[in-house]
Amino acid sequence: MAATGSKPSESDCLVSESPKKAAVSEEEYHDESQNLSKEHKIRLKVDLRLCTIGGLLCSLNLLDSGIISSASVTSMQKDLGLDVGNHYSVSILIFTVASVCFQLPATLAVRILGPRIFFGIITFGFGLITLCTAFIHSWKQMIVMRVLLGIFMSGIYPGLALLISSWYRREELQLRFAYLQCGEVVVLATGGIVNFGLNNLDGRGGLKGWQWMFVVQGLAACVIGIATYWWIVDFPEKAQQSFHFLDEAETKIVVARIQQDRGDVVPTPFSWPEVLKHFLDLKIYGFAATFFLLNLVSTALSYFLPIILQNGMGFTTNQAILLSAPPYYYAVIPVLISSRVGDKYRLRGPVITFNSLCLITGFGMLGFSKQVTVRYIGTYLATGAYVSNWAALNSYQASNITGQWKRAVTAAAVTACNGLGGVAGSFIVRRNEAPRYLTAIWVSIGSHILIISIIVAFSAYFYTANQKQSRGKKVVERTEGFRYTY
């Protein structure tokens, strides 16, 4: 795969100018330095406001899977009848189905209602439903709670992907998606340790350990939902409307740099034909397929890791809950390093391929080694790789499309297929295959071989399109000067 062919930055253009224009006056150099300094300060402001709350909001989905997976090795399954047949898998499945069905309207609602109102409402609703789950008494009631939770969660991932991709230039995206992932996995890992402590409250206040998990973390999500209204920021063209954020002059700088990068800051007027026409672009289906394949693995690990540790490796309940946390802390390291490399050198395909190979290695260790230590190390490699690829794949799709409604459609489509991958992933870890879980191992390995194949095909297409664009034979994404990044 070749290096990126994206549009060069201003600094790149200065280097490539002819000798007659190479000499820059001291005044022009000073102005350029001032502008870069202003951009850096504004970007830092955006990072501190948007990526921090974004990481917390992203964590809600994994917070849910963390509670469910930790509670699954306590008395919850027996108490609610989830240990009968495939009731537990169905409770995971139904959440994903509800989420997928509401993905597109929820993503469009982010643009129509604005991020502050939208994310504030759905986050508070998530917390309230999680809190109520502590007081249910049957698996049927659990199904109802999971459907409601899926509806409220449907806009989190695609909405944040849309918002993040609207604020940053293409060469800055992967690291920002990595920041979201760091917040997400750290909260998940910490949640596992918190769940260990909450499980020890079993019997206190008339509640069982798994009920305390839902009560405490549901209340925490409600508080985050209230804070979100003031914390999160609006889209760039309305940045000055955010609470104590950018002034009008800073907003103009942000809008100008995004407009220079891809020319799609302000959306065209909303209409269903304007939105639905973007489903004719076959790239969207390729991007969506990679997320489906990725989430086969992430669902299997995030929901079933404690079960694998307990039934597959022989750890006790509390040991399984505690040992499921460190792989997620480790994942912060590879996601930051790979994203930094991807943005610095404007590489997407090679980074995704490397992460996929790491995951294949990790699952090979998990499935085919007889030593518990080697198998456990395999969970580190696999977890770090799929977390890293979430950031890489998001930047890959966001860097190769233009137009706000197309961004919304693509974000909804890839998140919907991400959810469908979760549906499949909830069934590949089969209890009767303990301790090897070979179906999950082979499906995970095969899925990432397919991801590599799709990325190779995309990169070949992007390279060819960029070559035609260089010769003036093609306008990429109907935007003059736009070039694909691969």
Side-chain angles (χ1 to χ4, degrees):
M1 281 165 285
T4 177
S6 61
K7 185 179 177 181
S9 65
E10 285 187 60
S11 57
D12 293 329
C13 292
L14 287 173
V15 173
S16 62
E17 286 180 336
S18 64
K20 291 182 180 179
K21 295 183 179 180
V24 179
S25 71
E26 185 177 338
E27 184 179 347
E28 289 174 327
Y29 180 80
H30 179 69
D31 290 343
E32 181 71 16
S33 297
Q34 277 194 326
N35 289 337
L36 289 174
S37 177
K38 284 181 182 178
E39 285 192 20
H40 177 75
K41 289 178 180 177
I42 293 170
R43 192 166 60 242
L44 182 60
K45 271 189 180 181
V46 178
D47 287 344
L48 291 175
R49 277 289 290 271
L50 181 53
C51 293
T52 49
I53 187 61
L56 278 176
L57 295 181
C58 252
S59 72
L60 295 182
N61 192 35
L62 283 185
L63 179 67
D64 166 69
S65 64
I67 299 172
I68 288 288
S69 62
S70 294
S72 68
V73 293
T74 67
S75 65
M76 181 190 73
Q77 293 205 52
K78 185 176 180 181
D79 294 341
L80 300 180
L82 292 171
D83 59 341
V84 177
N86 62 352
H87 287 178
Y88 179 67
S89 291
V90 169
S91 69
I92 297 171
L93 163 69
I94 202 68
F95 165 85
T96 307
V97 171
S99 180
V100 167
C101 290
F102 283 85
Q103 222 101 69
L104 180 58
T107 310
L108 298 177
V110 179
R111 256 292 173 191
I112 296 168
L113 296 177
R116 297 175 68 195
I117 294 174
F118 178 80
F119 286 113
I121 290 174
I122 65 173
T123 305
F124 184 84
F126 169 87
L128 187 62
I129 295 166
T130 300
L131 174 62
C132 292
T133 304
F135 304 102
I136 61 176
H137 301 286
S138 70
W139 77 275
K140 292 181 179 179
Q141 292 173 343
M142 172 65 91
I143 296 300
V144 174
M145 291 293 102
R146 301 295 291 168
V147 169
L148 292 174
L149 206 60
I151 293 171
F152 274 89
M153 284 296 297
S154 61
I156 290 284
Y157 272 161
L160 285 172
L162 174 62
L163 187 58
I164 289 287
S165 65
S166 298
W167 269 98
Y168 295 97
R169 293 171 62 95
R170 286 177 292 158
E171 68 269 19
E172 300 165 349
L173 277 176
Q174 188 169 339
L175 190 59
R176 272 67 198 184
F177 282 120
Y179 290 158
L180 295 193
Q181 282 296 89
C182 287
E184 185 177 25
V185 297
V186 166
V187 169
L188 174 64
T190 305
I193 296 172
V194 169
N195 287 335
F196 166 75
L198 294 174
N199 192 44
N200 288 327
L201 294 178
D202 192 48
R204 302 281 182 91
L207 298 177
K208 296 189 176 182
W210 65 267
Q211 291 176 299
W212 278 111
M213 296 178 195
F214 284 99
V215 167
V216 171
Q217 292 174 78
L219 285 172
C222 286
V223 172
I224 292 172
I226 295 170
T228 295
Y229 178 77
W230 288 277
W231 192 347
I232 204 164
V233 301
D234 213 314
F235 286 95
E237 74 277 12
K238 299 177 181 178
Q240 71 274 16
Q241 298 178 11
S242 304
F243 184 72
H244 284 300
F245 190 39
L246 303 182
D247 58 32
E248 190 173 346
E250 290 172 322
T251 299
K252 287 180 179 178
I253 293 174
V254 170
V255 169
R257 66 195 300 271
I258 300 303
Q259 195 69 13
Q260 182 194 44
D261 181 52
R262 55 182 180 268
D264 67 352
V265 173
V266 180
T268 56
F270 173 80
S271 69
W272 281 110
E274 176 67 24
V275 170
L276 297 178
K277 73 178 184 181
H278 297 301
F279 283 105
L280 297 175
D281 189 342
L282 296 180
K283 291 199 304 295
I284 290 177
Y285 301 97
F287 294 144
T290 61
F291 278 84
F292 174 87
L293 296 167
L294 178 69
N295 207 34
L296 277 171
V297 175
S298 61
T299 299
L301 277 175
S302 61
Y303 280 100
F304 291 96
L305 184 55
I307 292 174
I308 293 171
L309 290 169
Q310 185 182 50
N311 298 336
M313 299 186 193
F315 293 106
T316 65
T317 295
N318 283 335
Q319 286 174 335
I321 293 174
L322 277 178
L323 289 173
S324 64
Y328 289 99
Y329 284 123
Y330 159 78
V332 171
I333 299 171
V335 72
L336 286 178
I337 293 175
S338 63
S339 297
R340 178 61 180 155
V341 169
D343 278 349
K344 183 176 181 179
Y345 298 103
R346 301 187 187 183
L347 294 172
R348 299 293 183 245
V351 171
I352 295 168
T353 300
F354 175 78
N355 290 334
S356 298
L357 291 173
C358 287
L359 184 137
I360 290 170
T361 302
F363 266 91
M365 295 167 66
L366 179 60
F368 306 121
S369 175
K370 295 181 180 179
Q371 296 183 354
V372 171
T373 302
V374 174
R375 298 184 71 201
Y376 185 55
I377 291 172
T379 66
Y380 279 73
L381 276 178
T383 303
Y386 91 70
V387 168
S388 298
N389 257 355
W390 188 87
L393 286 169
N394 263 299
S395 62
Y396 193 66
Q397 60 89 3
S399 296
N400 292 306
I401 54 174
T402 61
Q404 289 295 322
W405 296 121
K406 190 170 187 177
R407 289 186 182 283
V409 166
T410 305
V414 300
T415 309
C417 283
N418 189 67
L420 292 174
V423 172
S426 65
F427 288 96
I428 65 173
V429 179
R430 300 174 179 175
R431 292 174 182 272
N432 62 350
E433 293 184 351
R436 296 292 174 191
Y437 300 101
L438 288 180
T439 297
I441 298 299
W442 281 115
V443 169
S444 299
I445 290 173
S447 71
H448 278 68
I449 292 173
L450 285 175
I451 287 177
I452 293 172
S453 302
I454 292 171
I455 295 302
V456 169
F458 262 138
S459 296
Y461 169 73
F462 290 158
Y463 172 79
T464 302
N466 281 354
Q467 292 297 104
K468 290 180 179 178
Q469 191 270 351
S470 297
R471 295 193 295 268
K473 295 182 178 180
K474 184 180 180 69
V475 176
V476 176
E477 284 289 301
R478 295 183 295 178
T479 303
E480 287 291 341
F482 186 88
R483 289 168 65 82
Y484 287 125
T485 299
Y486 49 90

